[in-house]
Amino acid sequence: MELIAFIPSPSRGVIHLGPIPLRGYAFCIIIGVFVAVWLGGRRWAARGGLKTTVADIAVWAVPFGLVGGRLYHVITSYELYFGEGKDWVNAFKIWEGGLGIWGAIALGALGAWIACRRRGISLPAYADAVAPGIAFAQAIGRWGNWFNQELYGRATDLPWALKIDSAHRPADSLDVATYHPTFLYESLWCVGVALLVIWADRRFSLGRGRAFALYVAAYTVGRFWIEYLRVDDAHHVLGLRLNDWTSILVFAAAVAYIVVSAKLRPGREEVVEPAAVAAADASAQGTDPDAKDTKDAKDAKDVDAKDADGHAADAKKTEAGEAESDQNRDEEDGAAAVDAGAKTAKNL
């Protein structure tokens, strides 16, 4: 029986603009990064930080994250790139897909820590600000799997089943065309995680890395059951896929962090970026360096003007004093002359 409703897959995941290939997978990653930086910047500014700080730190975090995500994928799926009949050069072809979120977050956090340390910023506070944005970025990035027709789930005939071209189907089910759209499940789950973190942060004023830990814990819950549906090749440990075990361990660590952190360091940071506070104080007090230079110049000009006025006044006083002295001297000379004339007349 042929399905009437299903989700189609793109006929191709890349189009060429002349010699330049435009890949859907890459576009999804790029758009996700922009959304994460934009939302993170708004949240950071709302906490009292500078608007450009998140973007500046992302310059470090994003490249580290991409390298970490690729390393995790290559290490955990080494058989795809190394061994007989394999070309190890393909390990560098990141545009063909293959980014492990665990490695991306771990190494991306390292890059963010380096940048935060250079600015005197607390990494947990920064992580809290960008947590929902990362979840939204994952939601957008998962659509790259749709373009590549990869990482889908088990066969299904549900109305929202994903149709996969024969070239991308598992070797043992070439006659089955529709599968669980796990990329869509995870995308929707990540949107829910982002909204949960935003709500919880507003409701409980989460701080000191607890908003980020909530994102991690919530994401791993969804990743566990979504991972369980997937049929792509993966290493298994005690009957579970490797990423299922990773989800369990990371979930436990995130929950433990929330509990212990809330007891040891309750509340949230009052100051997240000292430079922003200093800039605000300088602006409020009118001590902005440029404004201060202008003010100093004006004050110096006023002093010079006062000095000039003082010198002019002193000169006028001196001239007036000299004139008065001359006048008094003339009057004295005239009086002496009159007295002398009177005496002469008397003697005669």
Side-chain angles (χ1 to χ4, degrees):
M1 179 179 177
E2 185 178 354
L3 288 178
I4 298 177
F6 57 83
I7 300 174
S9 290
S11 58
R12 55 181 177 173
V14 58
I15 58 175
H16 287 82
L17 186 62
I20 303 174
L22 304 177
R23 302 180 184 276
Y25 185 89
F27 271 107
C28 291
I29 298 296
I30 293 171
I31 294 172
V33 169
F34 273 107
V35 170
V37 171
W38 171 80
L39 180 58
R42 288 176 60 89
R43 286 173 53 81
W44 184 253
R47 288 285 306 275
L50 297 174
K51 294 181 179 180
T52 59
T53 296
V54 169
D56 292 341
I57 294 177
V59 172
W60 285 79
V62 172
F64 271 73
L66 291 174
V67 172
R70 188 60 176 178
L71 280 175
Y72 182 88
H73 167 73
V74 172
I75 292 172
T76 57
S77 304
Y78 61 87
E79 67 280 357
L80 299 177
Y81 307 101
F82 305 100
E84 187 177 355
K86 303 297 182 181
D87 186 357
W88 62 271
V89 175
N90 292 333
F92 296 95
K93 296 180 179 180
I94 193 173
W95 55 87
E96 293 183 354
L99 289 174
I101 186 61
W102 316 112
I105 293 297
L107 217 56
L110 174 61
W113 175 79
I114 295 173
C116 285
R117 186 176 178 83
R118 290 163 59 91
R119 286 174 167 263
I121 294 173
S122 169
L123 177 62
Y126 177 82
D128 285 340
V130 300
I134 293 176
F136 278 126
Q138 288 178 254
I140 297 170
R142 273 304 175 195
W143 285 83
N145 301 137
W146 178 62
F147 280 101
N148 286 353
Q149 297 194 45
E150 60 184 1
L151 305 185
Y152 45 84
R154 302 170 186 170
T156 183
D157 57 358
L158 291 170
W160 57 84
L162 175 66
K163 186 175 182 180
I164 299 296
D165 296 339
S166 57
H168 300 280
R169 297 173 191 170
D172 58 352
S173 59
L174 295 176
D175 57 333
V176 179
T178 55
Y179 301 82
H180 278 284
T182 50
F183 84 90
L184 179 60
Y185 298 162
E186 187 166 342
S187 179
L188 295 175
W189 184 268
C190 287
V191 171
V193 169
L195 296 177
L196 170 65
V197 174
I198 292 173
W199 170 82
D201 194 25
R202 292 177 178 176
R203 176 68 176 80
F204 303 107
S205 297
L206 300 177
R208 308 190 187 283
R210 289 187 284 275
F212 184 81
L214 175 61
Y215 144 72
V216 172
Y219 170 73
T220 53
V221 171
R223 180 60 183 266
F224 179 85
W225 67 266
I226 293 170
E227 187 76 22
Y228 191 73
L229 287 174
R230 283 168 44 173
V231 295
D232 54 295
D233 293 333
H235 296 286
H236 287 73
V237 179
L238 299 178
L240 289 178
R241 293 165 64 95
L242 178 61
N243 282 332
D244 276 329
W245 285 110
T246 305
S247 295
I248 293 172
L249 295 176
V250 174
F251 171 82
V255 172
Y257 179 87
I258 294 173
V259 174
V260 174
S261 174
K263 289 183 178 180
L264 297 180
R265 304 181 67 191
R268 72 191 306 179
E269 303 88 347
E270 294 183 1
V271 176
V272 296
E273 187 171 4
V277 176
D281 290 343
S283 177
Q285 297 175 7
T287 56
D288 180 74
D290 294 336
K292 187 175 185 302
D293 291 343
T294 302
K295 183 175 182 297
D296 290 344
K298 183 177 182 300
D299 291 343
K301 185 177 180 180
D302 292 341
V303 169
D304 292 341
K306 288 180 180 179
D307 290 343
D309 292 342
H311 291 318
D314 291 342
K316 288 182 179 179
K317 288 180 180 179
T318 301
E319 292 175 357
E322 292 176 351
E324 183 177 357
S325 178
D326 293 342
Q327 183 178 357
N328 291 336
R329 190 179 298 110
D330 292 342
E331 290 177 354
E332 290 176 355
D333 293 342
V338 172
D339 291 341
K343 288 181 179 181
T344 302
K346 183 177 180 180
N347 292 330
L348 292 173

PDB file of all heavy atoms in Angstrom, residues 8-9 20 23 38 41 66 108 123 131 134-135 151 166-167 182 189 197 199 205 229 238 247 249 261 267 305 320 329:
ATOM      1  N   PRO A   8       8.655  14.677   1.995  1.00  0.00           N
ATOM      2  CA  PRO A   8       9.629  14.384   0.928  1.00  0.00           C
ATOM      3  C   PRO A   8      11.028  14.850   1.326  1.00  0.00           C
ATOM      4  O   PRO A   8      11.195  15.755   2.152  1.00  0.00           O
ATOM      5  CB  PRO A   8       9.095  15.199  -0.247  1.00  0.00           C
ATOM      6  CG  PRO A   8       8.400  16.360   0.395  1.00  0.00           C
ATOM      7  CD  PRO A   8       7.794  15.833   1.663  1.00  0.00           C
ATOM      8  N   SER A   9      12.010  14.243   0.758  1.00  0.00           N
ATOM      9  CA  SER A   9      13.392  14.682   0.935  1.00  0.00           C
ATOM     10  C   SER A   9      13.815  15.519  -0.255  1.00  0.00           C
ATOM     11  O   SER A   9      13.290  15.338  -1.367  1.00  0.00           O
ATOM     12  CB  SER A   9      14.324  13.466   1.052  1.00  0.00           C
ATOM     13  OG  SER A   9      14.126  12.791   2.274  1.00  0.00           O
ATOM     14  N   ILE A  20      30.791  27.849  -7.463  1.00  0.00           N
ATOM     15  CA  ILE A  20      30.645  27.855  -6.002  1.00  0.00           C
ATOM     16  C   ILE A  20      29.495  26.942  -5.586  1.00  0.00           C
ATOM     17  O   ILE A  20      28.348  27.163  -5.985  1.00  0.00           O
ATOM     18  CB  ILE A  20      30.387  29.279  -5.481  1.00  0.00           C
ATOM     19  CG1 ILE A  20      31.527  30.220  -5.909  1.00  0.00           C
ATOM     20  CG2 ILE A  20      30.237  29.270  -3.962  1.00  0.00           C
ATOM     21  CD1 ILE A  20      31.284  31.664  -5.549  1.00  0.00           C
ATOM     22  N   ARG A  23      25.631  24.539  -0.150  1.00  0.00           N
ATOM     23  CA  ARG A  23      25.152  23.320   0.489  1.00  0.00           C
ATOM     24  C   ARG A  23      24.120  23.639   1.565  1.00  0.00           C
ATOM     25  O   ARG A  23      24.345  24.503   2.422  1.00  0.00           O
ATOM     26  CB  ARG A  23      26.327  22.543   1.078  1.00  0.00           C
ATOM     27  CG  ARG A  23      27.367  22.169   0.047  1.00  0.00           C
ATOM     28  CD  ARG A  23      28.532  21.388   0.642  1.00  0.00           C
ATOM     29  NE  ARG A  23      29.552  21.130  -0.378  1.00  0.00           N
ATOM     30  CZ  ARG A  23      29.500  20.115  -1.234  1.00  0.00           C
ATOM     31  NH1 ARG A  23      28.484  19.270  -1.186  1.00  0.00           N
ATOM     32  NH2 ARG A  23      30.447  19.945  -2.143  1.00  0.00           N
ATOM     33  N   TRP A  38      22.642  36.091  18.094  1.00  0.00           N
ATOM     34  CA  TRP A  38      21.662  37.178  18.234  1.00  0.00           C
ATOM     35  C   TRP A  38      20.899  37.067  19.547  1.00  0.00           C
ATOM     36  O   TRP A  38      20.815  38.029  20.320  1.00  0.00           O
ATOM     37  CB  TRP A  38      20.694  37.155  17.049  1.00  0.00           C
ATOM     38  CG  TRP A  38      19.529  38.093  17.241  1.00  0.00           C
ATOM     39  CD1 TRP A  38      19.520  39.451  17.050  1.00  0.00           C
ATOM     40  CD2 TRP A  38      18.208  37.737  17.666  1.00  0.00           C
ATOM     41  NE1 TRP A  38      18.272  39.960  17.341  1.00  0.00           N
ATOM     42  CE2 TRP A  38      17.453  38.937  17.715  1.00  0.00           C
ATOM     43  CE3 TRP A  38      17.600  36.525  18.007  1.00  0.00           C
ATOM     44  CZ2 TRP A  38      16.111  38.949  18.103  1.00  0.00           C
ATOM     45  CZ3 TRP A  38      16.260  36.538  18.383  1.00  0.00           C
ATOM     46  CH2 TRP A  38      15.527  37.741  18.427  1.00  0.00           C
ATOM     47  N   GLY A  41      23.181  37.514  22.588  1.00  0.00           N
ATOM     48  CA  GLY A  41      23.536  38.914  22.788  1.00  0.00           C
ATOM     49  C   GLY A  41      22.436  39.688  23.498  1.00  0.00           C
ATOM     50  O   GLY A  41      22.705  40.519  24.380  1.00  0.00           O
ATOM     51  N   LEU A  66      33.180  23.723  16.053  1.00  0.00           N
ATOM     52  CA  LEU A  66      33.169  22.970  14.796  1.00  0.00           C
ATOM     53  C   LEU A  66      34.259  21.898  14.787  1.00  0.00           C
ATOM     54  O   LEU A  66      34.015  20.754  14.371  1.00  0.00           O
ATOM     55  CB  LEU A  66      33.362  23.921  13.615  1.00  0.00           C
ATOM     56  CG  LEU A  66      32.193  24.876  13.313  1.00  0.00           C
ATOM     57  CD1 LEU A  66      32.577  25.851  12.211  1.00  0.00           C
ATOM     58  CD2 LEU A  66      30.949  24.087  12.912  1.00  0.00           C
ATOM     59  N   GLY A 108      33.765  23.795  22.164  1.00  0.00           N
ATOM     60  CA  GLY A 108      33.242  25.159  22.070  1.00  0.00           C
ATOM     61  C   GLY A 108      33.306  25.865  23.418  1.00  0.00           C
ATOM     62  O   GLY A 108      33.597  27.064  23.500  1.00  0.00           O
ATOM     63  N   LEU A 123      32.578  32.300  32.926  1.00  0.00           N
ATOM     64  CA  LEU A 123      32.051  31.388  31.904  1.00  0.00           C
ATOM     65  C   LEU A 123      30.647  30.898  32.230  1.00  0.00           C
ATOM     66  O   LEU A 123      29.799  30.845  31.334  1.00  0.00           O
ATOM     67  CB  LEU A 123      33.002  30.209  31.703  1.00  0.00           C
ATOM     68  CG  LEU A 123      32.531  29.142  30.704  1.00  0.00           C
ATOM     69  CD1 LEU A 123      32.379  29.741  29.313  1.00  0.00           C
ATOM     70  CD2 LEU A 123      33.515  27.972  30.667  1.00  0.00           C
ATOM     71  N   ALA A 131      22.586  29.649  26.379  1.00  0.00           N
ATOM     72  CA  ALA A 131      21.989  28.309  26.379  1.00  0.00           C
ATOM     73  C   ALA A 131      20.758  28.173  25.473  1.00  0.00           C
ATOM     74  O   ALA A 131      20.710  27.268  24.628  1.00  0.00           O
ATOM     75  CB  ALA A 131      21.656  27.886  27.809  1.00  0.00           C
ATOM     76  N   ILE A 134      21.747  28.239  21.814  1.00  0.00           N
ATOM     77  CA  ILE A 134      22.373  27.004  21.334  1.00  0.00           C
ATOM     78  C   ILE A 134      21.310  25.979  20.979  1.00  0.00           C
ATOM     79  O   ILE A 134      21.410  25.273  19.961  1.00  0.00           O
ATOM     80  CB  ILE A 134      23.331  26.447  22.402  1.00  0.00           C
ATOM     81  CG1 ILE A 134      24.521  27.391  22.587  1.00  0.00           C
ATOM     82  CG2 ILE A 134      23.829  25.057  22.002  1.00  0.00           C
ATOM     83  CD1 ILE A 134      25.457  26.970  23.695  1.00  0.00           C
ATOM     84  N   ALA A 135      20.272  25.885  21.809  1.00  0.00           N
ATOM     85  CA  ALA A 135      19.189  24.936  21.527  1.00  0.00           C
ATOM     86  C   ALA A 135      18.480  25.290  20.218  1.00  0.00           C
ATOM     87  O   ALA A 135      18.171  24.404  19.405  1.00  0.00           O
ATOM     88  CB  ALA A 135      18.196  24.917  22.682  1.00  0.00           C
ATOM     89  N   LEU A 151      20.801  10.174   9.013  1.00  0.00           N
ATOM     90  CA  LEU A 151      20.425  10.115  10.428  1.00  0.00           C
ATOM     91  C   LEU A 151      18.911  10.041  10.631  1.00  0.00           C
ATOM     92  O   LEU A 151      18.365  10.662  11.534  1.00  0.00           O
ATOM     93  CB  LEU A 151      21.005  11.324  11.185  1.00  0.00           C
ATOM     94  CG  LEU A 151      22.521  11.522  11.061  1.00  0.00           C
ATOM     95  CD1 LEU A 151      22.975  12.671  11.947  1.00  0.00           C
ATOM     96  CD2 LEU A 151      23.282  10.255  11.397  1.00  0.00           C
ATOM     97  N   SER A 166      16.467   5.885  -2.773  1.00  0.00           N
ATOM     98  CA  SER A 166      17.084   4.561  -2.693  1.00  0.00           C
ATOM     99  C   SER A 166      18.599   4.629  -2.475  1.00  0.00           C
ATOM    100  O   SER A 166      19.189   3.767  -1.825  1.00  0.00           O
ATOM    101  CB  SER A 166      16.778   3.764  -3.969  1.00  0.00           C
ATOM    102  OG  SER A 166      17.235   4.478  -5.120  1.00  0.00           O
ATOM    103  N   ALA A 167      19.232   5.668  -2.980  1.00  0.00           N
ATOM    104  CA  ALA A 167      20.686   5.792  -2.836  1.00  0.00           C
ATOM    105  C   ALA A 167      21.115   6.036  -1.394  1.00  0.00           C
ATOM    106  O   ALA A 167      22.283   5.827  -1.041  1.00  0.00           O
ATOM    107  CB  ALA A 167      21.206   6.921  -3.720  1.00  0.00           C
ATOM    108  N   THR A 182      13.791  11.517  12.295  1.00  0.00           N
ATOM    109  CA  THR A 182      14.395  11.849  13.585  1.00  0.00           C
ATOM    110  C   THR A 182      14.995  13.253  13.598  1.00  0.00           C
ATOM    111  O   THR A 182      15.100  13.871  14.660  1.00  0.00           O
ATOM    112  CB  THR A 182      15.472  10.823  13.949  1.00  0.00           C
ATOM    113  OG1 THR A 182      16.363  10.655  12.848  1.00  0.00           O
ATOM    114  CG2 THR A 182      14.846   9.480  14.292  1.00  0.00           C
ATOM    115  N   TRP A 189      12.150  19.057  19.465  1.00  0.00           N
ATOM    116  CA  TRP A 189      12.536  18.898  20.868  1.00  0.00           C
ATOM    117  C   TRP A 189      13.444  20.048  21.310  1.00  0.00           C
ATOM    118  O   TRP A 189      13.292  20.590  22.414  1.00  0.00           O
ATOM    119  CB  TRP A 189      13.238  17.562  21.074  1.00  0.00           C
ATOM    120  CG  TRP A 189      13.581  17.293  22.515  1.00  0.00           C
ATOM    121  CD1 TRP A 189      14.743  17.593  23.159  1.00  0.00           C
ATOM    122  CD2 TRP A 189      12.733  16.684  23.498  1.00  0.00           C
ATOM    123  NE1 TRP A 189      14.684  17.207  24.472  1.00  0.00           N
ATOM    124  CE2 TRP A 189      13.466  16.645  24.706  1.00  0.00           C
ATOM    125  CE3 TRP A 189      11.447  16.158  23.464  1.00  0.00           C
ATOM    126  CZ2 TRP A 189      12.934  16.111  25.877  1.00  0.00           C
ATOM    127  CZ3 TRP A 189      10.924  15.621  24.632  1.00  0.00           C
ATOM    128  CH2 TRP A 189      11.663  15.605  25.820  1.00  0.00           C
ATOM    129  N   VAL A 197      14.078  26.630  28.916  1.00  0.00           N
ATOM    130  CA  VAL A 197      15.162  27.341  29.591  1.00  0.00           C
ATOM    131  C   VAL A 197      14.821  28.820  29.754  1.00  0.00           C
ATOM    132  O   VAL A 197      15.053  29.416  30.819  1.00  0.00           O
ATOM    133  CB  VAL A 197      16.480  27.173  28.816  1.00  0.00           C
ATOM    134  CG1 VAL A 197      17.576  28.039  29.430  1.00  0.00           C
ATOM    135  CG2 VAL A 197      16.910  25.715  28.816  1.00  0.00           C
ATOM    136  N   TRP A 199      11.817  30.163  29.968  1.00  0.00           N
ATOM    137  CA  TRP A 199      10.784  30.271  31.006  1.00  0.00           C
ATOM    138  C   TRP A 199      11.370  30.067  32.396  1.00  0.00           C
ATOM    139  O   TRP A 199      11.118  30.852  33.325  1.00  0.00           O
ATOM    140  CB  TRP A 199       9.687  29.237  30.753  1.00  0.00           C
ATOM    141  CG  TRP A 199       8.727  29.140  31.908  1.00  0.00           C
ATOM    142  CD1 TRP A 199       7.655  29.953  32.166  1.00  0.00           C
ATOM    143  CD2 TRP A 199       8.778  28.183  32.990  1.00  0.00           C
ATOM    144  NE1 TRP A 199       7.032  29.574  33.322  1.00  0.00           N
ATOM    145  CE2 TRP A 199       7.696  28.498  33.847  1.00  0.00           C
ATOM    146  CE3 TRP A 199       9.620  27.122  33.291  1.00  0.00           C
ATOM    147  CZ2 TRP A 199       7.449  27.755  35.015  1.00  0.00           C
ATOM    148  CZ3 TRP A 199       9.378  26.391  34.446  1.00  0.00           C
ATOM    149  CH2 TRP A 199       8.303  26.697  35.295  1.00  0.00           C
ATOM    150  N   SER A 205      15.083  32.840  38.095  1.00  0.00           N
ATOM    151  CA  SER A 205      16.324  33.621  38.060  1.00  0.00           C
ATOM    152  C   SER A 205      17.549  32.715  38.168  1.00  0.00           C
ATOM    153  O   SER A 205      18.385  32.849  39.074  1.00  0.00           O
ATOM    154  CB  SER A 205      16.342  34.657  39.198  1.00  0.00           C
ATOM    155  OG  SER A 205      15.305  35.595  39.047  1.00  0.00           O
ATOM    156  N   LEU A 229      15.816   5.517  18.174  1.00  0.00           N
ATOM    157  CA  LEU A 229      15.055   5.242  16.953  1.00  0.00           C
ATOM    158  C   LEU A 229      15.941   5.131  15.709  1.00  0.00           C
ATOM    159  O   LEU A 229      15.522   4.547  14.702  1.00  0.00           O
ATOM    160  CB  LEU A 229      14.026   6.353  16.711  1.00  0.00           C
ATOM    161  CG  LEU A 229      12.786   6.399  17.611  1.00  0.00           C
ATOM    162  CD1 LEU A 229      11.962   7.650  17.299  1.00  0.00           C
ATOM    163  CD2 LEU A 229      11.938   5.151  17.418  1.00  0.00           C
ATOM    164  N   LEU A 238      26.536  -2.763  25.685  1.00  0.00           N
ATOM    165  CA  LEU A 238      25.469  -3.391  26.477  1.00  0.00           C
ATOM    166  C   LEU A 238      24.097  -3.185  25.845  1.00  0.00           C
ATOM    167  O   LEU A 238      23.112  -2.902  26.529  1.00  0.00           O
ATOM    168  CB  LEU A 238      25.488  -2.838  27.907  1.00  0.00           C
ATOM    169  CG  LEU A 238      26.785  -3.090  28.709  1.00  0.00           C
ATOM    170  CD1 LEU A 238      26.675  -2.439  30.084  1.00  0.00           C
ATOM    171  CD2 LEU A 238      27.069  -4.570  28.828  1.00  0.00           C
ATOM    172  N   SER A 247      24.333  10.234  26.545  1.00  0.00           N
ATOM    173  CA  SER A 247      23.194  11.013  27.030  1.00  0.00           C
ATOM    174  C   SER A 247      22.926  10.742  28.500  1.00  0.00           C
ATOM    175  O   SER A 247      22.656  11.665  29.284  1.00  0.00           O
ATOM    176  CB  SER A 247      21.943  10.680  26.205  1.00  0.00           C
ATOM    177  OG  SER A 247      22.098  11.073  24.862  1.00  0.00           O
ATOM    178  N   LEU A 249      25.039   9.655  30.873  1.00  0.00           N
ATOM    179  CA  LEU A 249      26.106  10.199  31.713  1.00  0.00           C
ATOM    180  C   LEU A 249      26.053  11.720  31.787  1.00  0.00           C
ATOM    181  O   LEU A 249      26.204  12.311  32.869  1.00  0.00           O
ATOM    182  CB  LEU A 249      27.463   9.741  31.180  1.00  0.00           C
ATOM    183  CG  LEU A 249      27.736   8.236  31.256  1.00  0.00           C
ATOM    184  CD1 LEU A 249      29.081   7.907  30.601  1.00  0.00           C
ATOM    185  CD2 LEU A 249      27.727   7.751  32.706  1.00  0.00           C
ATOM    186  N   SER A 261      25.266  23.062  42.832  1.00  0.00           N
ATOM    187  CA  SER A 261      25.489  24.487  42.639  1.00  0.00           C
ATOM    188  C   SER A 261      24.456  25.322  43.384  1.00  0.00           C
ATOM    189  O   SER A 261      24.784  26.362  43.968  1.00  0.00           O
ATOM    190  CB  SER A 261      25.457  24.822  41.142  1.00  0.00           C
ATOM    191  OG  SER A 261      25.536  26.214  40.931  1.00  0.00           O
ATOM    192  N   GLY A 267      21.320  31.741  44.162  1.00  0.00           N
ATOM    193  CA  GLY A 267      21.156  33.042  43.531  1.00  0.00           C
ATOM    194  C   GLY A 267      21.866  33.136  42.197  1.00  0.00           C
ATOM    195  O   GLY A 267      22.381  32.152  41.675  1.00  0.00           O
ATOM    196  N   ALA A 305      41.359  82.486  30.093  1.00  0.00           N
ATOM    197  CA  ALA A 305      40.563  83.701  29.924  1.00  0.00           C
ATOM    198  C   ALA A 305      40.543  84.516  31.214  1.00  0.00           C
ATOM    199  O   ALA A 305      40.659  85.745  31.199  1.00  0.00           O
ATOM    200  CB  ALA A 305      39.135  83.337  29.501  1.00  0.00           C
ATOM    201  N   ALA A 320      45.814 103.510  36.359  1.00  0.00           N
ATOM    202  CA  ALA A 320      45.007 104.465  37.130  1.00  0.00           C
ATOM    203  C   ALA A 320      45.798 104.988  38.319  1.00  0.00           C
ATOM    204  O   ALA A 320      45.749 106.165  38.673  1.00  0.00           O
ATOM    205  CB  ALA A 320      43.718 103.797  37.606  1.00  0.00           C
ATOM    206  N   ARG A 329      50.894 114.755  42.574  1.00  0.00           N
ATOM    207  CA  ARG A 329      52.187 115.423  42.553  1.00  0.00           C
ATOM    208  C   ARG A 329      52.053 116.818  41.958  1.00  0.00           C
ATOM    209  O   ARG A 329      52.642 117.784  42.436  1.00  0.00           O
ATOM    210  CB  ARG A 329      53.184 114.580  41.746  1.00  0.00           C
ATOM    211  CG  ARG A 329      54.614 115.110  41.888  1.00  0.00           C
ATOM    212  CD  ARG A 329      55.588 114.219  41.096  1.00  0.00           C
ATOM    213  NE  ARG A 329      55.598 112.868  41.612  1.00  0.00           N
ATOM    214  CZ  ARG A 329      55.095 111.851  40.972  1.00  0.00           C
ATOM    215  NH1 ARG A 329      54.541 112.024  39.778  1.00  0.00           N
ATOM    216  NH2 ARG A 329      55.140 110.648  41.504  1.00  0.00           N
TER     217      ARG A 329
END
